[in-house]
């Protein structure tokens, strides 16, 4: 593992000069690469100013000129679905190795470094990401995430030398000079500040003092609650401890700050047998524990007590200025934090900050970024917090799922669900033959999938999985805007299904979003029945609630889109609807809750009259059944490129619309009829088949 250190930018003169002109800023020379995984130390690095002259000249060029090469490389590389993000290959042992390599005091001030493994961003105009470290000050706390974040951010980390005694406000000035410099270079590009523990205080304070700069804060267990730390009663004891016993301090902190088991679990595969998992965990834990003694070098006794004073002053400074924070904030809080009351602090900050969202990790400890199962990029994407301009664009700012995200979602989290249902995917070839798999679905966009929205959208997960596995295609699902607003989230909001929808292509259903997706030849999923269909009432299974307006047909004709109607059946073999909308409207408390939710929700069908336009949100009461099987049939593609008359002729558009609707209904009728012929519709028969042929074997079904 390698890092490259960069000294802080020296700012010459003031930002606004005389007569409104800006004075020239000069970037300082960069340090040569530092091999953090070797025995080299920061003091051994040779600085060559002359070798960096050309680089520094390029830094003085306009942003669009400097970014030309980056843009061209990004266009060549791109980010395809299931690209390798490198997440999960680095362990906590690398953190200790890197921290040991750069913790030796080189007499310099705090400075930024760029992790070499972060590489060059693969997207155009990637935002800047500045990591502000926790109490250790080393700046390597993001090491498990360097590569995955480096594909979509310009990553820089702050390093505070072990013997540095810069006060809190001095650190603020260092960070402020950097963000002001970067803001002047690219005023329309957001700057992300990731503040870990103590770094959270720095991030919040910088945001409070610079409301004019577009900042996005990602806070991980911020130390704003330091006055309530469980360590308070033992701090006087530690301070009175003889200096020759200072080695006990890091051992104590290591178990207070994080969960050793979760830290040891990093990079251990989840598909191993229990004995193999136990053996690897034992080996990892055994090799990691001796490294804890190295914390005595990273955080010596004098430094430790200086950090405590810094924490105290930083928390007080930050808390007095929370009211001035205007930035977007995503707060990651641990429920098992033994160093800080992070759960309670999440409650407080959620109420105090103007624009704050929370993701709560109830089983994790203080060092969240060094623990197993936490992919920071996935959290940012799921919360819709990634953007490259002043406002998030759900079309151009979307990042496709990575290979590690796909593995986590479908090979781990949803594995039992999909194994129990064993979905059957059928498609229709151009000659009308029905085959198993997705061979009948076009490989090139733009394509619009139009179908039946099952109860609670239960059909979505297998559909997304199959398209990614077989075609490596992301389906951009048009969904109700309420799924993306975060209005109804709480201060203990855990990762949810809504985050997964965003990660796998979901975006608000609007005409302009659909227009722009077609323009970019994307694969789009539309449910004309919307909420009314997905939250249908008793006795309404497989009934379409489509509006009368055929607008999507006319837009599809304009862009020459291929429309693929599809049907789905299986919800009645999995769920039983106990309390529906009509039942709940007769219960006073539930009626009031439904009314309050829908008063705040954005209406997407106000122009539609009658029952089809009733898009009220509610949560149905459901009971699970012994699972049957899911069946999908993608109909014969309908090419709209030869139907230019549909764009202006409403009658022709309506005829195509009714044809698509009838194709969806016919597909569901076909599946309901044919599933009775499936010898493996019962989960018992499928279990026997898997026991004989293995769980990875494709379970047979009826002959199409």
């Amino acid at each position: 593992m390698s890092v490259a250190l960069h000294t802080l930018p020296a700012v010459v003169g003031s930002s606004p000069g005389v007569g409104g002109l800006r004075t020239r800023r000069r970037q300082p020379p960069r340090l040569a690469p530092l091999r953090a995984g070797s025995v080299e130390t920061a003091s051994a690095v040779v600085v060559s100013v002359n070798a960096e002259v050309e680089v520094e000249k390029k830094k003085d060029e306009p942003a669009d000129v400097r970014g030309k090469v980056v843009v061209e490389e990004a266009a060549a590389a791109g980010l395809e679905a299931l690209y390798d993000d490198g997440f999960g290959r680095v362990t906590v042992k690398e953190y200790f190795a890197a921290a040991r390599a750069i913790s030796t005091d080189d007499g310099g001030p705090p400075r930024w470094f760029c992790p070499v493994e972060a590489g060059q961003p693969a997207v155009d105009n990637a935002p800047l990401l500045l990591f502000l470290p926790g109490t250790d000050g080393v700046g390597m706390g993001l090491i498990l995430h360097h590569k995955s974040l480096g594909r979509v951010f310009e990553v820089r980390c702050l390093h505070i030398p072990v013997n540095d005694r810069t006060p809190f406000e001095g650190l603020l000035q260092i960070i402020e000079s950097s963000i002001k410099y970067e803001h002047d270079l690219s005023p329309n590009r957001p700057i992300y500040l990731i503040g870990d523990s103590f770094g959270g205080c720095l991030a919040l304070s910088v945001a409070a003092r610079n409301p004019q700069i577009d900042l996005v804060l990602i806070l991980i267990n911020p130390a704003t609650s330091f006055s309530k730390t469980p360590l308070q009663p033992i701090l006087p004891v530690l301070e009175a401890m003889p200096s020759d016993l200072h080695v006990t301090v890091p051992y104590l902190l290591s178990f207070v700050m994080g969960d050793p088991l979760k830290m040891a679990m990093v990079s251990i595969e989840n598909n191993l047998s229990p004995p193999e998992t136990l053996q690897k965990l034992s080996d990892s834990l055994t090799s990691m524990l001796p490294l804890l003694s190295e914390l005595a070098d990273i955080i010596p006794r004098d430094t430790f007590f200086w950090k405590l004073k810094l924490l105290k002053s930083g928390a007080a400074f930050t808390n007095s200025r929370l009211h001035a924070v205007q930035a977007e904030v995503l707060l990651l809080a641990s429920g098992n934090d033994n160093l800080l009351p992070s759960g309670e602090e999440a409650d407080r900050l959620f109420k105090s900050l103007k624009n704050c969202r929370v993701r709560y990790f109830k089983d994790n400890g203080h060092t969240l970024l060094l623990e197993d199962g936490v992919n920071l990029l996935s959290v940012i994407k799921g919360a819709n917090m990634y953007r490259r301009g002043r406002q998030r664009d759900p079309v151009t700012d979307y990042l496709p799922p990575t290979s590690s995200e796909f593995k986590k979602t479908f090979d781990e989290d949803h594995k039992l669900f999909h194994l129990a249902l064993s979905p059957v995917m059928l498609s229709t070839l151009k000659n009308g033959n029905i085959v198993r798999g997705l061979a009948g679905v076009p490989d090139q966009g733009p394509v619009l999938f139009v179908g039946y929205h099952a109860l609670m959208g239960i059909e979505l997960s297998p559909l997304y999985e199959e398209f990614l596995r077989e075609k490596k295609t992301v389906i951009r699902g048009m969904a109700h805007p309420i799924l993306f607003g975060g209005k109804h989230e709480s201060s203990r909001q855990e990762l949810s299904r809504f985050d997964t929808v965003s990660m796998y292509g979901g975006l608000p259903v609007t005409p302009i979003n659909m227009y722009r997706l077609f323009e970019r030849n994307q694969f789009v999923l539309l449910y004309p029945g919307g909420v009314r269909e997905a939250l249908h009432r008793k006795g309404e299974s497989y009934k379409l609630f489509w509006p009368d307006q055929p607008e999507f047909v006319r837009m599809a004709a304009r862009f020459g889109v291929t429309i693929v109607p599809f049907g789905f059946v299986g919800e009645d073999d999995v769920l039983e609807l106990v309390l529906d909308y009509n039942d709940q409207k007769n219960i006073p408390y539930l009626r009031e809750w439904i009314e309050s939710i829908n008063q705040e929700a954005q209406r997407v069908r106000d122009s539609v009259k009658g029952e089809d336009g009733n898009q009220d949100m509610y949560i149905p009461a459901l009971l699970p059944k012994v699972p049957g099987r899911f069946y999908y049939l993608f109909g014969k593609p309908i090419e709209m490129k030869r139907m230019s008359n549909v764009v202006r002729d409403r009658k022709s558009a309506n005829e195509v619309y009714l044809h698509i609707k009838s194709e969806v209904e016919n597909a569901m009728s076909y599946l309901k009829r044919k599933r009775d012929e499936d010898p493996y519709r019962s989960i018992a028969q499928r279990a026997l088949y898997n026991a004989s042929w293995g769980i990875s074997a494709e379970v047979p079904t009826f002959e199409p």
Side-chain angles (χ1 to χ4, degrees):
M1 194 286 303
S2 304
V3 295
L5 294 183
H6 292 243
T7 54
L8 288 163
V11 180
V12 182
S14 60
S15 178
V18 179
L21 297 176
R22 295 185 181 274
T23 56
R24 188 181 182 190
R25 297 174 183 267
R26 177 178 57 84
Q27 281 279 65
R30 300 179 181 180
L31 293 179
L34 169 67
R35 296 292 305 179
S38 68
V39 296
E40 296 175 0
T41 64
S43 58
V45 177
V46 179
V47 182
S48 174
V49 177
N50 294 332
E52 297 294 331
V53 170
E54 292 302 317
V55 175
E56 300 313 316
K57 285 182 180 179
K58 292 180 180 179
K59 288 294 288 183
D60 285 335
E61 293 176 354
D64 56 342
V65 176
R66 290 188 298 105
K68 185 176 180 181
V69 176
V70 177
V71 172
E72 290 176 351
E73 290 182 0
L79 286 178
E80 299 179 351
L82 306 186
Y83 71 91
D84 182 10
D85 60 351
F87 181 76
R89 297 179 187 169
V90 180
T91 69
V92 179
K93 288 187 290 185
E94 274 78 14
Y95 163 76
F96 284 106
R100 180 178 63 246
I102 66 175
S103 62
T104 302
D105 182 37
D106 59 357
R111 71 210 66 177
W112 301 103
F113 67 88
C114 301
V116 170
E117 67 271 18
Q120 187 116 311
V123 297
D124 185 14
N125 296 323
L128 176 66
L129 184 151
L130 302 178
F131 176 65
L132 310 179
T135 309
D136 62 358
V138 173
M140 298 304 302
L142 206 62
I143 190 169
L144 270 61
H145 310 269
H146 283 162
K147 188 168 184 179
S148 59
L149 292 174
R151 301 299 301 275
V152 296
F153 289 101
E154 290 183 15
V155 180
R156 301 177 197 171
C157 305
L158 181 65
H159 169 63
I160 305 173
V162 64
N163 290 325
D164 180 79
R165 296 297 182 261
T166 304
F168 186 77
E169 291 195 52
L171 294 173
L172 288 183
Q173 292 173 4
I174 290 171
I175 299 167
E176 284 178 333
S177 67
S178 296
I179 67 170
K180 288 177 180 178
Y181 180 85
E182 293 294 338
H183 177 69
D184 287 347
L185 287 177
S186 304
N188 295 320
R189 185 176 69 158
I191 298 175
Y192 283 69
L193 299 180
I194 296 187
D196 185 8
S197 189
F198 171 67
C201 294
L202 290 170
L204 285 167
S205 296
V206 168
R209 288 163 43 134
N210 298 274
Q212 77 284 1
I213 297 179
D214 185 12
L215 299 175
V216 181
L217 310 186
I218 313 293
L219 309 179
I220 294 89
N221 297 321
T224 45
S225 62
F226 180 69
S227 61
K228 302 176 183 178
T229 176
L231 285 179
Q232 288 289 356
I234 66 172
L235 290 180
V237 178
L238 292 175
E239 199 161 1
M241 189 177 295
S243 59
D244 58 348
L245 294 179
H246 77 283
V247 73
T248 60
V249 172
Y251 274 107
L252 172 65
L253 280 181
S254 65
F255 284 95
V256 171
M257 292 170 63
D259 184 337
L261 288 177
K262 284 190 175 293
M263 296 170 76
M265 279 293 295
V266 172
S267 81
I268 295 179
E269 298 179 9
N270 290 278
N271 57 355
L272 300 176
S273 65
E276 290 175 320
T277 301
L278 186 61
Q279 181 61 47
K280 283 189 172 291
L281 176 60
S282 176
D283 295 342
S284 177
L285 196 60
T286 302
S287 62
M288 188 184 74
L289 289 179
L291 298 173
L292 297 177
S293 62
E294 297 179 6
L295 284 174
D297 299 322
I298 299 171
I299 312 178
R301 183 176 186 273
D302 292 341
T303 298
F304 173 69
F305 290 114
W306 164 254
K307 296 289 187 180
L308 293 180
K309 294 177 182 178
L310 203 59
L311 277 169
K312 185 176 180 180
S313 63
F317 185 97
T318 304
N319 284 320
S320 67
R321 290 162 174 78
L322 288 179
H323 63 279
V325 177
Q326 304 291 329
E328 286 183 86
V329 178
L330 177 61
L331 172 58
L332 279 56
S334 296
N336 197 24
D337 188 343
N338 296 321
L339 183 63
L340 298 170
S342 294
E344 297 175 11
E345 187 65 359
D347 298 337
R348 185 179 76 92
L349 293 178
F350 183 73
K351 296 176 182 177
S352 302
L353 298 173
K354 298 180 178 66
N355 189 6
C356 179
R357 301 177 69 184
V358 175
R359 289 298 179 267
Y360 184 64
F361 299 82
K362 61 181 180 181
D363 298 322
N364 289 83
H366 185 70
T367 52
L368 185 65
L369 296 180
L370 292 175
E371 296 183 12
D372 180 52
V374 181
N375 186 332
L376 183 56
L377 179 60
S378 299
V379 176
I380 294 172
K381 289 162 61 175
N384 292 304
M385 295 286 283
Y386 181 82
R387 57 185 173 90
R388 289 174 284 175
R390 291 191 175 274
Q391 299 293 329
R392 183 176 186 275
D393 187 324
V395 175
T396 58
D397 285 333
Y398 173 71
L399 301 173
T402 70
S403 58
S404 67
E405 289 169 343
F406 180 86
K407 182 179 179 181
K408 176 72 168 60
T409 302
F410 297 111
D411 292 344
E412 297 175 21
D413 296 346
H414 296 185
K415 182 176 182 179
L416 292 179
F417 176 74
H418 291 194
L419 183 63
L421 295 172
S422 188
V424 175
M425 297 278 176
L426 304 169
S427 61
T428 309
L429 303 177
K430 289 184 177 181
N431 60 9
N433 292 338
I434 297 175
V435 295
R436 190 163 187 183
L438 302 176
V441 176
D443 294 319
Q444 301 294 326
V447 175
L448 176 63
F449 299 94
V450 183
Y452 167 71
H453 209 355
L455 190 60
M456 295 293 290
I458 196 173
E459 82 286 359
L460 285 171
S461 180
L463 187 150
Y464 287 153
E465 177 185 10
E466 190 65 20
F467 270 88
L468 283 167
R469 281 195 192 278
E470 186 171 335
K471 289 183 172 288
K472 288 192 176 181
T473 297
V474 176
I475 305 293
R476 303 302 311 273
M478 309 296 289
H480 197 286
I482 198 173
L483 301 184
F484 309 98
K487 269 188 177 180
H488 305 288
E489 293 180 355
S490 70
S491 59
R492 299 295 177 101
Q493 180 69 47
E494 298 182 34
L495 297 176
S496 69
R497 187 184 177 194
F498 295 159
D499 295 72
T500 305
V501 169
S502 297
M503 283 176 53
Y504 286 93
L507 75 169
V509 56
T510 65
I512 188 63
N513 282 345
M514 185 179 294
Y515 179 98
R516 297 174 68 217
L517 289 171
F518 288 160
E519 199 174 38
R520 289 163 174 78
N521 297 324
Q522 298 288 299
F523 286 69
V524 183
L525 173 62
L526 177 67
Y527 291 111
V531 170
R532 180 62 184 86
E533 206 165 87
L535 300 178
H536 57 247
R537 320 319 184 213
K538 294 176 182 177
E540 294 178 347
S541 297
Y542 309 123
K543 180 180 178 181
L544 301 184
F545 289 91
W546 290 19
D548 294 332
Q549 296 93 331
E551 296 307 316
F552 76 82
V553 173
R554 300 170 71 183
M555 188 182 294
R558 178 175 181 179
F559 284 94
V561 174
T562 300
I563 296 179
V564 179
F566 73 94
F568 163 82
V569 300
E571 66 176 52
D572 53 342
D573 274 356
V574 176
L575 299 172
E576 181 177 352
L577 184 53
V578 179
L579 285 178
D580 66 3
Y581 177 84
N582 297 327
D583 296 328
Q584 295 186 24
K585 289 286 281 186
N586 293 326
I587 302 173
Y589 172 77
L590 292 178
R591 179 176 64 247
E592 294 168 4
W593 183 83
I594 291 173
E595 290 173 354
S596 66
I597 289 293
N598 287 282
Q599 282 175 356
E600 300 176 8
Q602 181 179 340
R603 312 296 292 186
V604 296
R605 278 204 189 167
D606 284 343
S607 61
V608 180
K609 305 299 181 183
E611 187 61 24
D612 290 350
N614 181 5
Q615 295 282 300
D616 281 357
M617 308 288 292
Y618 84 103
I619 300 178
L622 305 168
L623 281 179
K625 295 181 178 180
V626 175
R629 200 171 189 185
F630 279 4
Y631 302 87
Y632 300 76
L633 174 58
F634 294 90
K636 187 175 180 180
I638 302 171
E639 296 185 1
M640 302 297 295
K641 62 178 62 176
R642 298 182 180 86
M643 299 185 184
S644 57
N645 61 313
V646 171
V647 178
R648 296 179 179 82
D649 187 350
R650 183 172 293 273
K651 182 179 178 181
S652 299
N654 194 58
E655 289 175 355
V656 175
Y657 180 78
L658 293 177
H659 172 64
I660 295 170
K661 185 177 181 181
S662 67
E663 286 294 298
V664 174
E665 292 172 330
N666 291 339
M668 288 192 290
S669 297
Y670 172 87
L671 292 173
K672 283 190 285 186
R673 183 177 70 255
K674 294 293 287 186
R675 70 175 173 176
D676 292 335
E677 303 175 11
D678 186 358
Y680 295 97
R681 181 179 176 184
S682 166
I683 189 173
Q685 294 298 322
R686 296 199 300 275
L688 288 174
Y689 185 89
N690 288 136
S692 301
W693 298 95
I695 60 174
S696 60
E698 185 178 66
V699 180
T701 186
F702 57 80
E703 285 295 325

